[in-house]
Amino acid sequence: MSAPQPPEPIPGARLLFSLDPAVSHLNHGSFGAVPIGVQRAQQRLRDEMEANPLRFFGPSLVDRIAHTRRHLAAFLGADPDGTALVGNATTGVAVVLQSLGLRPGDEVLTTDHGYGAVGFSVDRECRRTGATHRILHVPLTATDEQVVQLVRAGLRPGRTKLLIVDQLTSATARLFPAAAIAGAAHEHEVPVLVDAAHAPGMLPAPVGGIGADFWVGNLHKWGYAPRGTAALVVSPSWRDRMEPLVVSWEQGAGFPGNVEWQATLDYTSWLAAPAGVWTLRTLGVDRVRAHNAALAAYGQRVVGDALGVAPADLPDPGGPTVAMRILPLPAGLAATTDDALALRGRIAEELSAEVAVMSWNGRGWLRLCGQVYNAPHEYERLAARLPALLARR
């Protein structure tokens, strides 16, 4: 297997961001980075809001949100009438969970690749309702077919009231066969929630063709939107049952308006989100995706070589546009969440590099991302300095 080669840089892309040039920002997946033009678009909206709050929050705001929703839904390949803007993917998950009407004896099924905060949300709803949270182990090396088989075997028809599965996992950077999983669950009439926090902007039309009952995704990661911009997409049969986390003046409008409207929330991040999509399209959507995926693969190999990880032991997410890669850390490092956070802090402080360090199934993992503002030398510099830091346990 030939070593990945770094892609050609996209001219001028680095200048679109206000990131500190003294730091290697190799963890776009956690909080994203907002282009300067998008920052300014949001600031203009904030200026408008502060110039006349009564006018800004007047009846026209509902129409402006609806217009933005339609624009973003088209980008996602979603039905705008079934799409609600929310603050974060975890917020969308909470809306779904509280709308299910769980009871004692019911269960919510997730996998051990799921996002930690989503697991916390499931646990809380289960404590409140008397339902059970069951976690299904899926080996990192499982093929797509094996993943579907494991999920199908783990369902308990009549008892499993929701299956939550990632489209692209945060902890393991794995692209799951979400459409096939949803099809298997629907064979047993089990509704499916797809956590697609990383999909918008990275995967083309991530909603289309999946057939999930619920889909949630953040636009403030790979879609260049201001933070606090996400979408909750709901299938027609569930829309009348969706209940907002906060009841406000659009309650009578039903979904999606009742979920979106939360009184004096700062809606400028949503209204500025199309500027992020415009930035992505200006750079060239396919070009950006290919660049980022190739750069992440290059970084994984370079750092993996420095740590003595054989190429065969470097997980491959299985997607040509996946811009996140993980690699195993030496045994005993970052085996717990606290240790992982401490190591991430040391890397940031001592190496001036922002990365993600995760503990997954008792093993420490380093996650690297590729983005248009990154360059190959940043991964090479990390590779040159990281082994010495890890040796100083």
Side-chain angles (χ1 to χ4, degrees):
M1 182 173 60
S2 61
Q5 297 301 310
E8 290 294 324
I10 297 177
R14 177 64 181 83
L15 299 177
L16 297 177
F17 297 85
S18 55
L19 295 165
D20 183 353
V23 177
S24 295
H25 300 272
L26 308 179
N27 185 21
H28 185 89
S30 283
F31 299 104
V34 184
I36 295 170
V38 182
Q39 295 178 39
R40 290 174 176 169
Q42 184 179 15
Q43 188 57 53
R44 287 192 295 270
L45 287 161
R46 285 176 171 153
D47 291 342
E48 177 191 346
M49 176 172 61
E50 297 306 329
N52 192 332
L54 284 173
R55 176 180 294 174
F56 183 86
F57 286 98
S60 65
L61 181 55
V62 174
D63 293 334
R64 294 174 75 176
I65 293 171
H67 176 76
T68 301
R69 178 205 312 141
R70 288 191 292 270
H71 184 98
L72 298 178
F75 174 68
L76 297 172
D79 176 3
D81 292 332
T83 302
L85 300 181
V86 292
N88 194 279
T90 48
T91 303
V93 170
V95 171
V96 172
L97 286 171
Q98 77 152 19
S99 301
L100 286 175
L102 294 173
R103 299 177 180 179
D106 294 342
E107 73 170 21
V108 177
L109 180 64
T110 64
T111 79
D112 57 358
H113 294 251
Y115 189 60
V118 170
F120 294 153
S121 188
V122 173
D123 289 341
R124 186 188 70 170
E125 190 65 16
C126 287
R127 286 194 303 269
R128 191 179 70 83
T129 61
T132 301
H133 179 197
R134 189 159 57 89
I135 302 174
L136 185 67
H137 172 60
V138 177
L140 188 62
T141 56
T143 64
D144 284 356
E145 182 179 355
Q146 289 170 336
V147 172
V148 176
Q149 291 173 348
L150 285 167
V151 172
R152 181 184 281 113
L155 297 171
R156 296 175 180 174
R159 184 173 179 183
T160 306
K161 299 301 181 182
L162 182 68
L163 167 65
I164 301 179
V165 66
D166 294 71
Q167 190 165 12
L168 177 61
T169 68
S170 176
T172 57
R174 168 68 190 270
L175 187 66
F176 268 15
I181 291 173
H186 289 159
E187 292 172 4
H188 300 285
E189 299 183 346
V190 175
V192 178
L193 165 59
V194 172
D195 179 355
H198 291 274
M202 189 191 297
L203 304 180
V207 179
I210 290 182
D213 302 86
F214 315 100
W215 181 99
V216 291
N218 292 324
L219 286 115
H220 54 241
K221 293 179 182 286
W222 304 91
Y224 297 157
R227 293 175 194 88
T229 306
L232 166 62
V233 183
V234 178
S235 65
S237 62
W238 282 95
R239 292 171 192 172
D240 291 342
R241 288 180 270 182
M242 303 310 295
E243 291 291 342
L245 298 178
V246 177
V247 175
S248 193
W249 287 104
E250 288 297 303
Q251 179 66 10
F255 186 85
N258 63 342
V259 168
E260 291 175 332
W261 188 259
Q262 297 180 41
T264 49
L265 184 75
D266 185 348
Y267 298 97
T268 60
S269 61
W270 298 356
L271 299 179
V277 175
W278 181 86
T279 302
L280 182 59
R281 286 175 169 153
T282 299
L283 291 172
V285 178
D286 292 339
R287 183 186 190 189
V288 168
R289 288 171 178 156
H291 171 277
N292 293 348
L295 196 55
Y298 177 76
Q300 181 196 44
R301 176 64 71 88
V302 168
V303 178
D305 286 347
L307 297 181
V309 181
D313 295 328
L314 294 174
D316 184 344
T321 66
V322 174
M324 301 193 302
R325 296 280 182 133
I326 63 169
L327 59 148
L329 291 169
L333 282 179
T336 68
T337 299
D338 287 345
D339 288 346
L341 289 172
L343 179 57
R344 186 199 66 78
R346 285 183 59 204
I347 294 172
E349 182 68 23
E350 298 179 34
L351 305 186
S352 296
E354 294 291 351
V355 300
V357 180
M358 259 86 73
S359 172
W360 186 75
N361 281 356
R363 179 73 187 265
W365 298 84
L366 180 73
R367 191 188 74 188
L368 299 172
C369 299
Q371 188 50 264
V372 296
Y373 51 73
N374 292 130
H377 70 80
E378 295 179 291
Y379 305 91
E380 295 161 2
R381 182 171 58 198
L382 176 65
R385 302 175 65 191
L386 183 60
L389 181 146
L390 297 182
R392 301 193 306 271
R393 300 192 182 191

